[in-house]
Each structure stands twice: as structure tokens, then as C-alpha cells.
């Protein structure tokens, strides 16, 4: 027995282990939906209160024996729940992530409610360079962004929670960095829900700040009472010559350029340069994939690229820091400062000079 154990320990990653991992990938859509079902029905939350038998779960939640036993078997084999010798189920550390870890919850709801259906169109999306999965929700649309206000409430809730979760806790630090340069004006391109503007107005109620975004979003966000002092411009940055205001001071693009292909990013930066005076500073805030401390963060970011493929636009991704710096140079700008470890999710702020 000892000799066999020694051989197993030193033989590395075996074909059998590879097959087990392969089956985990094959059946991952099923366990994903199983966890969703356990959350919907209250099973995971009930088990977490105290170890409990399958029969008591059926009683307390009024769910059939078939449903309870089937989802519990699936959850157990994937390590989401455990079962002791007395037949009592408990939630594992992995399972608790879906109940209490905010990043896991936000990511799960986003994938489930915004991406899951569209992911089936990944091949066509790559071939056509269009978000073919978007048609699962809205048949007539080239990109997701103008359609967001028309999406279902659960789609919008999951999308905005995901989008805001990562970048919102960066804004105070970003404001302090930019404000230390004493710009007369702030321009936020792709301002979304106005998170950065709200922080700026709290920090400095007299600030001169403008948000530039698509018309559909501006129509919604401009009604926010917290943003009465903010100026708004409806601009489509994908146009060859977008109708930009005269820009000076500081420009921020927070998690905005990852919504575009490399060619589009270069054109956006070139158009900003044309519309700005030469003293303007351009700030790019991104969670670059090659600048992450935690493996879970890097994994999440790389997989988010596939959301852009299937659902958002068909041609963008989460970029490496080295890629973005090269695009800045290609557009005729220069990276003058790099601020790292912004917020709690390893964001990087590139300060660029024209």
C-alpha cells in the first residue's frame, strides 16, 4: 500500500484526474443552475442555519422529495454541500461563497441573468464580430449599451450591480489623485450611473464636471437629483467624428475603453486629443488582467471578456496593462504616471498627457 501511495503522489496530474476535471467543465452549466435553484427555493440558506436532513428540508420548504434529493446530490458532488454519517447536510466554504461573498453573488447574478442565454451564441459572435447572444433578449440591436434602459428589471439590476461593484469603490481615491493636479474642469466619458460625479460633487460642490455618454443613458441619469450641478452631453464615441465639447482640465474614462476593440480605442483617444487643449490630462481606470494579485480576480476578468463577445459588442475584452499603454502611444498620447492598487479590486489608473 505504501508503495502505491508513493507512486500516486509523485506521478503528477494523471489522465484519470484530467477526466474528472473535464467532466466538471462538461457539467458546470448544470451545477451553475442547480445553485441558482437552491438559492431561489431557499434550500442553501436553510441548510446554512444548521445541519439538516433532506426530509426536514422537504417539510420546511414544502418541496418534493425528488427536487430536494436531486439538487442535494448535484451540490454534494461539486462540494457545495456536505453530508455527515447521520444524513445531515451542511453548507461548505464553497457553498457559503454564494450566500455571503459579495463578489461571488454579483458575478453569479450577472452571469445568470445577463450572460447565460447569450453564451450559446459564442461561436457565431466570434465569426461575425457581433454580439449574437444579445438577440436572445432583443432581436434588433448591434450593441447592448443603447438597449440597457429597455431590458428587463432583473437584467438591469444584475448588470448595474456588476458594473458598479468593481469600480465604485475606486472613485474617491481617483478623485483625490486627479484633484491634486488642480484641473479647472472634469469630463467623465462613459459616466454610466454617475457614480464618479456623485463623489466629485460631495467632495467639491462647486466643481465643474461634465458627463458624456450615449443619449439613452443621458436621458435617464440626468434626472438624478444628486446630479443637478453636473453638465451632460449626449455623445456616441464610436462615430468617426463625435460631437465632443471643447475639453480641458481632466478627462476620466472609468472601465470604459474595455467596451471597444483596439482600433476603436485608438480612434476614441485620437478624437479626445483633437477636442482637448494640450494641457489636458486623460485618465484611464481599468482592472487590467496582467495586474491582478488574486487568481480569482484574474480568472473573473478574463472570463468577462466573453460577455463582451456574446452580449455587449462582439469585439472588445478586458485588456492587459501593456496592451492599453501601447494603444495610448499609438494614438499619440504619452503615459506620464501610473497609479496602481486603486480600490479593493486592483484597479490601475493611467495618467496620460497629450
Amino acid at each position: 500500500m505504501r508503495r502505491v501511495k508513493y507512486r500516486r503522489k509523485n506521478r503528477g496530474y494523471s489522465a484519470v484526474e484530467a477526466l474528472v476535471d473535464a467532466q466538471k467543465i462538461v457539467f458546470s452549466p448544470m451545477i451553475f443552475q442547480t445553485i441558482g435553484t437552491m438559492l431561489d427555493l431557499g434550500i442553501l440558506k436553510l441548510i446554512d442555519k444548521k445541519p439538516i436532513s433532506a426530509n426536514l428540508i422537504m417539510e420546511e420548504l414544502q418541496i418534493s422529495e425528488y427536487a430536494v434529493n436531486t439538487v442535494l446530490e448535484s451540490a454534494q458532488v461539486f462540494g457545495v454541500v456536505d453530508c455527515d454519517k447521520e444524513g445531515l447536510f451542511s453548507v461548505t466554504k464553497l457553498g457559503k461563497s454564494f450566500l455571503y461573498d459579495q463578489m461571488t453573488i454579483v458575478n453569479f447574478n450577472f452571469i445568470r441573468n445577463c450572460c447565460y442565454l447569450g453564451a450559446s451564441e459564442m461561436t457565431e459572435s466570434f465569426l461575425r464580430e457581433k454580439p449574437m447572444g444579445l438577440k436572445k433578449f432583443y432581436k434588433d440591436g448591434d450593441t447592448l449599451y443603447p438597449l440597457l434602459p429597455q431590458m428587463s428589471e432583473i437584467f438591469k439590476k444584475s448588470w448595474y450591480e456588476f458594473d458598479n461593484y468593481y469600480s465604485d469603490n475606486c472613485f474617491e481615491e481617483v478623485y483625490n489623485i486627479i484633484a491634486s493636479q488642480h484641473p479647472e474642469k472634469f469630463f467623465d466619458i462613459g459616466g454610466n450611473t454617475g457614480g464618479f460625479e456623485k463623489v466629485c460633487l460631495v467632495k467639491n460642490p462647486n466643481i465643474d464636471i461634465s458627463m458624456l455618454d450615449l443619449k439613452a443613458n443621458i436621458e435617464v441619469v440626468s434626472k438624478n437629483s444628486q446630479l443637478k450641478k453636473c453638465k451632460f452631453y449626449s455623445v456616441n464615441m464610436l462615430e468617426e467624428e463625435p460631437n465632443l465639447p471643447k475639453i480641458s482640465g481632466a478627462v476620466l474614462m472609468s472601465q470604459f475603453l474595455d467596451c471597444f476593440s483596439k482600433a476603436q480605442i485608438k480612434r476614441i483617444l485620437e478624437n479626445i486629443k483633437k477636442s482637448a487643449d494640450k494641457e489636458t490630462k486623460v485618465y484611464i481606470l481599468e482592472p487590467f488582467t496582467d495586474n491582478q494579485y488574486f487568481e480569482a480576480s484574474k480568472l473573473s476578468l478574463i472570463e468577462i471578456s466573453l460577455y463582451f463577445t456574446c452580449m455587449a459588442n462582439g469585439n472588445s475584452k478586458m485588456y492587459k496593462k501593456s496592451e492599453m499603454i501601447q494603444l495610448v502611444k499609438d494614438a499619440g498620447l504619452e503615459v506620464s504616471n501610473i497609479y496602481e492598487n486603486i480600490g479593493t479590486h486592483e484597479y490601475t489608473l493611467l495618467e496620460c498627457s497629450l
Side-chain angles (χ1 to χ4, degrees):
M1 289 295 292
R2 288 182 181 176
R3 187 177 300 167
V4 172
K5 285 184 179 179
Y6 178 81
R7 285 177 180 169
R8 286 181 178 173
K9 184 177 178 181
N10 288 275
R11 72 186 177 187
Y13 187 58
S14 70
V16 172
E17 290 167 327
L19 285 173
V20 171
D21 286 346
Q23 304 323 300
K24 288 179 180 179
I25 293 173
V26 168
F27 288 99
S28 58
M30 307 307 286
I31 184 58
F32 180 89
Q33 295 292 9
T34 296
I35 292 169
T37 296
M38 294 179 78
L39 291 168
D40 291 344
L41 299 178
I43 296 173
L44 206 59
K45 189 173 182 179
L46 178 62
I47 297 173
D48 190 54
K49 290 180 180 178
K50 62 177 181 180
I52 189 172
S53 68
N55 286 335
L56 274 176
I57 295 172
M58 295 174 215
E59 269 183 47
E60 292 203 26
L61 297 179
Q62 293 295 294
I63 302 172
S64 72
E65 176 186 3
Y66 167 74
V68 170
N69 285 336
T70 304
V71 297
L72 286 177
E73 286 173 0
S74 176
Q76 186 178 0
V77 78
F78 272 89
V80 178
V81 300
D82 203 359
C83 186
D84 64 19
K85 294 178 181 178
E86 283 73 43
L88 299 179
F89 288 90
S90 58
V91 180
T92 64
K93 288 181 180 179
L94 173 61
K96 288 179 185 292
S97 298
F98 295 93
L99 290 170
Y100 305 114
D101 179 67
Q102 196 61 28
M103 182 178 76
T104 303
I105 293 168
V106 166
N107 286 348
F108 183 86
N109 290 336
F110 174 69
I111 295 298
R112 188 185 190 197
N113 299 322
C114 304
C115 305
Y116 196 90
L117 286 176
S120 63
E121 301 299 322
M122 189 177 297
T123 302
E124 280 299 302
S125 297
F126 276 123
L127 291 175
R128 299 191 187 191
E129 294 189 11
K130 293 182 179 180
M132 302 306 293
L134 182 58
K135 296 188 183 299
K136 296 281 187 179
F137 294 87
Y138 202 94
K139 293 193 180 299
D140 301 316
D142 294 324
T143 64
L144 171 63
Y145 311 110
L147 301 176
L148 269 173
Q150 303 172 49
M151 290 297 183
S152 68
E153 289 305 313
I154 192 169
F155 188 106
K156 287 189 289 187
K157 182 175 185 295
S158 298
W159 193 92
Y160 281 115
E161 283 179 354
F162 174 82
D163 192 67
N164 296 337
Y165 173 71
Y166 291 95
S167 58
D168 276 11
N169 61 39
C170 299
F171 289 151
E172 186 168 346
E173 191 173 349
V174 169
Y175 169 82
N176 290 336
I177 291 170
I178 299 175
S180 69
Q181 304 295 320
H182 308 293
E184 291 185 5
K185 296 181 179 181
F186 284 64
F187 293 83
D188 183 14
I189 299 180
N192 205 344
T193 58
F196 180 66
E197 284 74 7
K198 291 171 188 175
V199 169
C200 291
L201 289 164
V202 168
K203 288 278 194 176
N204 179 5
N206 298 316
I207 193 171
D208 187 334
I209 187 165
S210 301
M211 180 196 290
L212 287 67
D213 211 327
L214 292 170
K215 182 180 179 181
N217 190 56
I218 291 294
E219 288 175 351
V220 174
V221 75
S222 60
K223 297 174 183 176
N224 191 310
S225 60
Q226 293 176 274
L227 300 174
K228 287 181 180 178
K229 294 185 177 180
C230 181
K231 300 171 185 175
F232 296 96
Y233 296 91
S234 298
V235 179
N236 182 353
M237 296 301 292
L238 283 179
E239 292 178 355
E240 287 292 332
E241 294 185 4
N243 186 28
L244 291 171
K246 183 61 181 175
I247 293 173
S248 62
V251 174
L252 175 67
M253 289 177 282
S254 170
Q255 209 168 291
F256 176 69
L257 293 181
D258 53 45
C259 300
F260 303 97
S261 69
K262 288 184 176 182
Q264 290 168 339
I265 292 171
K266 182 174 177 287
R267 187 167 73 242
I268 288 169
L269 292 172
E270 288 171 340
N271 284 331
I272 291 171
K273 185 177 180 180
K274 289 177 186 177
S275 299
D277 69 38
K278 63 180 181 179
E279 301 302 320
T280 303
K281 297 288 186 181
V282 176
Y283 295 87
I284 299 169
L285 182 67
E286 290 287 344
F288 295 120
T289 59
D290 59 347
N291 211 28
Q292 299 299 309
Y293 180 79
F294 294 105
E295 190 64 27
S297 299
K298 182 177 180 179
L299 184 151
S300 298
L301 288 172
I302 289 172
E303 296 307 314
I304 287 167
S305 291
L306 301 173
Y307 142 75
F308 288 111
T309 306
C310 303
M311 290 300 302
N313 52 49
N315 59 15
S316 78
K317 65 193 288 289
M318 302 305 293
Y319 292 99
K320 297 177 181 177
K321 183 173 72 172
S322 55
E323 291 177 303
M324 190 61 71
I325 289 174
Q326 186 60 54
L327 287 168
V328 169
K329 292 178 180 177
D330 291 345
L333 284 73
E334 179 184 345
V335 176
S336 48
N337 279 301
I338 299 176
Y339 305 89
E340 299 187 328
N341 303 319
I342 305 287
T344 58
H345 297 285
E346 302 291 331
Y347 272 69
T348 300
L349 183 68
L350 303 181
E351 180 185 301
C352 308
S353 303
L354 302 185

